[in-house]
Amino acid sequence: MAGLAAVAGVRVWGAARAVGALGEGVALGLDLGAVLAVVLAYAALAAPRPPGTGALRALSVPLAAAVAVLGLAVAAGLVDRGALDPKTALPTTLATAGWAGVVGLAEAGLAAVVLASLRPLVLHRRRPATVWAWLALLVLGLASGLAVAGRPPSPYPPTATVPFLAGAVVVGTGLALRQRWVGALTSGQRLGAAGLSLALAGALLGLIYVQTAGPAVLLVGDGSGEVESVSYATGLSRSLGVVTTLALAWGGLYSLTAALVLLLGLPSADRQDQRVGERQALRSLADLSGRLLERGALADAIARGPVEAGLADAAWVALTDPARGTLTPAVVAAQGASLEDAARAADTGALYRAALAQDAPLVLGRAEADHRVRARPGDGVASLAALPLGSPGAGPGGVTRGVLVVTRKTPEAFEPDDLAALDTFAGQAALSLSHADLFADALERERLARELALAREVQQRLLPQSLPQIDGLELAAAERPAREVGGDYYDVVRLGDDCLGLIVADVSGKGAAAAFYMAEMKGVFQAGSRLTRAPGELLAGANDALSPSLGRGVFASAVYAVLDAEAGTLALARAGHTPTLLVRDRERPDGGRWMLRGDGLAIGLDRRGDLFRQTLVEQTVRLAPGDTVVLYTDGLVEARDHAGEEYGYDRLAAFVDGQRGADAATLRDRLLAEHRAWAGRDDPDDDTTFVVVRWTGRGGGVAPADVASGPPVTERPAFPSAQPPLP
Amino acid sequence: MSHFSVSFDRRVGQPPVRLLALTGELDAHTAPDFEAALQACLDDGDVRLVADGSGLDYVSSAGLGVFMAFVEPARDGGGDLKIAALPGRVFEVFDLLGFPTVFDMHPTVDAAVASF
């Protein structure tokens, strides 16, 4: 503006001193200065995008300016009686010079305001070509102005300007047809915008009219010469006249087109295309969500959507996979770029977290300047938006599953309505993903259920179908399988007429693997119990046999007991298993209850077996009539009540102790009921298995054992020769 | 839901011993986290490892399996996976299975670190 004032001042000063031959030098300087002033004014107005620039504001600002300048120009034409000297091209009176300066200045400002205000409308949803066309229009307009610099005032263009003018008209007409901003308006806004556009077109075209044929002309000479009249702006500078006329004419054309589009409800062609594209993208996704239940294919469709709808130049999808513990999203699909380029272009994880943190799309207008974007200028990632797939809040799809990243090759390319469409699309995509995940979960559940049923069947078949009967002995066994099949196993084998082998074992792990290990355990136990009657040897053999086939980190605990009814003894060894409960009748002097816990490593802990043998201890009980022995798995003592408290060894021992006189089957039933009551439900967390052995004896009495210092057992290393040498 | 966390960003002593502080319930659901942490340590070239169990409330057989699975790689690499400062009830579970025979277990983290 200061530039314009200076130009006007110089012009007035020049006119005042004009004596005909001040000449072309001054005129040329004025022309260049005037054009430069328009450029500077445009740059000052257009460079920063004012926040909240709406279409109505974009129209009303130039309209107000145009009406003001129109009034000013008409006033100049009516008031001023001066003219332009046809020879010197200088005003004949000081007043005329003043009017030319003021009107020229105002018109230059108006041209800048019109261009700067309409720019956001033209560049709405720009593509690279749009930006180039806009720049071309500006350059061609300036070139047209500069081509006449220094020439005497005339309303007619010299031949030199024709190519520039023609180019400006072609480009300007093309740009005038770009009315994409119209689609972003509500119906109420459309009416207002139509009125403003029509008024703006009238004001701008009216201004051109009054300055060529109307009351606002500046006569050249007496108006009878070859050139009759020019506009006041041309009187100031011919270049300025050309530039402002072009700008005003284009502004008039643009607003007239806009008014027509708005009034006739003509959706501009590309606008229509875009809506169709958006609908298509959403519909295809909705269709897909019914059929595409696989994450990868769905991600591909999600990445394709925005690009095919023309909402983005490239798009990629990064998904988290909580089921596999992957919380940082990984790029799984890309469109408009390769997977590798997409993964390289930005720190998608950081964008995802930022978008999540604000629970809204993250929009980067100048993406290359953002530290999370690794793409360099020229890589085609000038604008970027990251849309979370799902929100952290509640509702269907209330889990975030990843992020959709869309990019444009031009900066500041995502308009609010683009983002609204993308947001809708991302919401739909999240829902489709959630359906896919639900389906996958259901499949996985079904697979697990089948596997579980099979494993349970195997488990059931591995357990003994009946228990041996031996004089002087009662046996009862129970197993409560958990929801998920665990690795509990028990078995009883008859070893000759008066002898039994009992095992209770627990393999770590669940499901089919546990059932498999159980089967292996049964083979080892059935074979081993026929080879040896020494519990330690059997367990050591089991450790040797099972260790190679147990998976990494899998182990088994087991307790093996050999009951010799003839001798009235129970010999047992414990491989890391829960201690065995022995309850002796309180009536006897050696009555009491004990947890028998001889040393022993779990099977699989020491796979070479040396430590296993060194550690293992055998305990032998000389049974007294009424003795009750309970072998069990940890599910029995680890059952938790509603408050989370474990049942525990002490409660178990006290409960069994309190069931004096009950036979084995009754005790089993009562213990099961007790266990169920403690846990308060029918489906325990863990398998629970126990075997009750009640020794009723064979008539003969047994002398009381010494229980002053511990349980009535004799203890010895299972492998004395394997003991490490004493230090 | 069981809660569990493992932090393993501390190294103490010279040569450095990597500490893994375990908190919460180490069960079938959380064992993969612990596994990942141990694997990360091995990947970093750390084979002198001490699991600080002072914050453990519960350990299941799946959790115990992780110790078993990683003690051998640590020992093969010239280091060890030691277990320290287990609360009484949790120690019971380890003890019942015979872990103290196979693992180097210590009442305190300092003792475990000093034993390297």
Side-chain angles (χ1 to χ4, degrees):
Chain A
M1 287 300 155
L4 279 178
V7 169
V10 167
R11 186 65 191 152
V12 171
W13 170 81
R17 288 194 49 198
V19 212
L22 239 173
E24 290 174 9
V26 171
L28 184 65
L30 280 170
D31 285 340
L32 295 178
V35 170
L36 182 66
V38 175
V39 171
L40 288 176
Y42 168 77
L45 290 169
R49 283 183 99 198
T53 309
L56 297 185
R57 190 186 141 95
L59 292 168
S60 47
V61 170
L63 174 60
V67 169
V69 174
L70 182 60
L72 188 67
V74 171
L78 294 178
V79 172
D80 183 38
R81 291 290 159 219
L84 217 54
D85 185 322
K87 291 201 180 65
T88 61
L90 291 176
T92 50
T93 68
L94 192 58
T96 302
W99 279 112
V102 171
V103 174
L105 175 142
E107 238 173 272
L110 176 63
V113 166
V114 166
L115 292 174
S117 299
L118 295 183
R119 176 176 168 271
L121 302 187
V122 177
L123 295 186
H124 188 91
R125 284 182 199 278
R126 76 195 92 184
R127 294 170 188 283
T130 319
V131 179
W132 287 118
W134 176 252
L135 285 176
L137 178 68
L138 297 181
V139 168
L140 287 168
L142 283 180
S144 307
L146 292 175
V148 296
R151 290 173 187 258
S154 159
Y156 310 113
T159 331
T161 37
V162 169
F164 301 125
L165 277 178
V169 167
V170 170
V171 176
T173 309
L175 283 175
L177 295 174
R178 251 189 86 79
Q179 304 283 354
R180 290 185 158 212
W181 60 280
V182 166
L185 300 181
T186 63
S187 51
Q189 287 174 324
R190 286 172 80 99
L191 204 61
L196 286 172
S197 302
L198 202 58
L200 180 60
L204 293 175
L205 298 176
L207 184 57
I208 293 172
Y209 171 77
V210 298
Q211 296 193 65
T212 48
V217 295
L218 175 60
L219 287 179
V220 177
D222 58 2
S224 63
E226 191 184 334
V227 174
E228 293 173 1
S229 64
V230 294
S231 70
Y232 275 82
T234 307
L236 176 66
S237 148
R238 184 160 179 200
S239 293
L240 182 63
V242 170
V243 169
T244 54
T245 308
L246 265 177
L248 302 185
W250 179 80
L253 178 64
Y254 190 82
S255 42
L256 189 61
T257 318
L260 288 174
V261 166
L262 284 161
L263 285 176
L264 303 180
L266 293 175
S268 62
D270 52 12
R271 179 71 214 163
Q272 179 82 336
D273 287 351
Q274 183 160 350
R275 277 275 171 250
V276 168
E278 276 168 28
R279 275 201 298 273
Q280 223 159 27
L282 278 177
R283 195 177 320 121
S284 68
L285 199 60
D287 285 352
L288 290 175
S289 71
R291 280 176 287 129
L292 269 191
L293 289 163
E294 195 266 308
R295 269 180 153 229
L298 200 51
D300 281 336
I302 295 169
R304 265 203 313 277
V307 178
E308 284 179 359
L311 290 166
D313 294 320
W316 62 86
V317 173
L319 297 181
T320 59
D321 196 348
R324 292 194 189 144
T326 315
L327 294 175
T328 300
V331 176
V332 294
Q335 182 79 8
S338 71
L339 269 184
E340 294 74 30
D341 288 348
R344 255 200 308 273
D347 182 352
T348 304
L351 296 173
Y352 168 69
R353 286 190 294 276
L356 271 197
Q358 64 187 46
D359 197 13
L362 172 76
V363 185
L364 304 176
R366 302 201 173 265
E368 286 136 353
D370 193 278
H371 66 278
R372 290 162 294 200
V373 176
R374 289 188 282 260
R376 297 273 70 86
D379 290 354
V381 184
S383 309
L384 179 147
L387 303 115
L389 293 169
S391 75
V399 186
T400 35
R401 293 182 159 75
V403 64
L404 167 65
V405 177
V406 291
T407 64
R408 280 279 201 204
K409 292 173 183 163
T410 45
E412 306 284 358
F414 291 108
E415 304 289 344
D417 57 327
D418 283 338
L419 290 171
L422 285 167
D423 208 24
T424 310
F425 181 77
Q428 182 69 40
L431 209 58
S432 300
L433 273 175
S434 112
H435 289 160
D437 287 355
L438 280 176
F439 184 70
D441 286 352
L443 267 190
E444 176 69 9
R445 268 199 305 278
E446 196 180 320
R447 191 185 67 74
L448 282 176
R450 268 203 306 275
E451 192 181 273
L452 184 79
L454 188 67
R456 218 189 276 292
E457 198 183 318
V458 170
Q459 193 181 34
Q460 290 300 321
R461 282 192 203 170
L462 292 175
L463 298 177
Q465 303 305 308
S466 65
L467 297 176
Q469 308 255 337
I470 287 193
D471 188 27
L473 186 70
E474 290 170 13
L475 280 178
E479 45 92 23
R480 288 188 73 196
R483 269 162 303 180
E484 199 172 359
V485 175
D488 275 15
Y489 167 67
Y490 78 91
D491 211 345
V492 183
V493 204
R494 186 187 278 273
L495 311 170
D497 288 344
D498 278 328
C499 200
L500 287 180
L502 296 109
I503 192 167
V504 172
D506 183 0
V507 186
S508 72
K510 304 268 183 199
F516 169 77
Y517 291 133
M518 275 178 62
E520 210 172 0
M521 180 87 75
K522 182 171 179 101
V524 168
F525 171 67
Q526 292 274 348
S529 60
R530 282 167 178 79
L531 293 174
T532 174
R533 287 195 180 186
E537 271 193 44
L538 182 127
L539 290 179
N543 187 58
D544 295 343
L546 289 171
S547 284
S549 61
L550 289 176
R552 194 170 175 246
V554 178
F555 57 91
S557 70
V559 60
Y560 182 62
V562 174
L563 196 149
D564 186 335
E566 196 177 3
T569 57
L570 179 84
L572 55 90
R574 188 187 70 91
H577 200 76
T578 44
T580 299
L581 172 63
L582 168 66
V583 174
R584 180 158 290 178
D585 196 335
R586 292 274 174 199
E587 303 278 296
R588 291 176 53 93
D590 56 351
R593 54 187 193 232
W594 302 273
M595 287 291 177
L596 305 182
R597 184 180 166 170
D599 285 349
L601 304 184
I603 292 168
L605 209 53
D606 170 42
R607 300 196 172 190
R608 290 195 311 144
D610 301 345
L611 273 177
F612 188 93
R613 284 180 167 77
Q614 282 173 26
T615 312
L616 196 61
V617 159
E618 277 182 13
Q619 294 178 307
T620 306
V621 184
R622 179 154 184 78
L623 294 168
D627 277 4
T628 302
V629 174
V630 184
L631 301 97
Y632 55 91
T633 58
D634 53 8
L636 185 61
V637 283
E638 285 179 6
R640 289 172 190 260
D641 70 1
H642 58 90
E645 187 168 345
E646 276 188 5
Y647 187 59
Y649 299 112
D650 293 345
R651 277 194 195 84
L652 172 64
F655 180 81
V656 174
D657 200 4
Q659 303 297 319
R660 184 145 43 93
D663 61 23
T666 308
L667 177 56
R668 178 207 43 210
D669 294 344
R670 289 181 182 166
L671 191 51
L672 266 178
E674 162 87 351
H675 181 246
R676 191 172 288 131
W678 183 264
R681 54 202 175 106
D682 283 333
D683 52 342
D685 284 332
D686 200 1
D687 282 8
T688 300
T689 300
F690 60 86
V691 177
V692 176
V693 181
R694 205 174 130 78
W695 177 246
T696 50
R698 291 184 166 183
V702 177
D706 174 16
V707 293
S709 58
V713 296
T714 51
E715 200 171 290
R716 62 172 198 93
F719 296 90
S721 59
Q723 294 307 301
L726 290 172
Chain B
M1 282 314 282
S2 49
H3 66 95
F4 174 76
S5 72
V6 48
S7 67
F8 52 104
D9 44 7
R10 275 188 64 212
R11 288 186 180 84
V12 294
Q14 193 62 38
V17 172
R18 188 93 174 247
L19 296 186
L20 296 99
L22 312 179
T23 319
E25 304 194 346
L26 180 55
D27 58 18
H29 296 110
T30 59
D33 295 350
F34 183 35
E35 221 171 325
L38 281 166
Q39 190 58 54
C41 290
L42 292 183
D43 292 347
D44 291 346
D46 285 309
V47 288
R48 283 176 297 276
L49 308 168
V50 168
D52 173 3
S54 56
L56 274 182
D57 298 327
Y58 171 79
V59 64
S60 80
S61 55
L64 294 165
V66 179
F67 287 98
M68 279 176 59
F70 280 86
V71 69
E72 274 178 41
R75 285 178 181 170
D76 291 348
D80 198 356
L81 168 59
K82 304 194 180 201
I83 306 170
L86 292 175
R89 277 166 34 87
V90 177
F91 179 82
E92 258 305 297
V93 179
F94 281 81
D95 191 34
L96 197 60
L97 289 159
F99 269 62
T101 304
V102 178
F103 283 79
D104 194 14
M105 298 177 71
H106 294 269
T108 64
V109 173
D110 289 344
V113 171
S115 71
F116 271 103

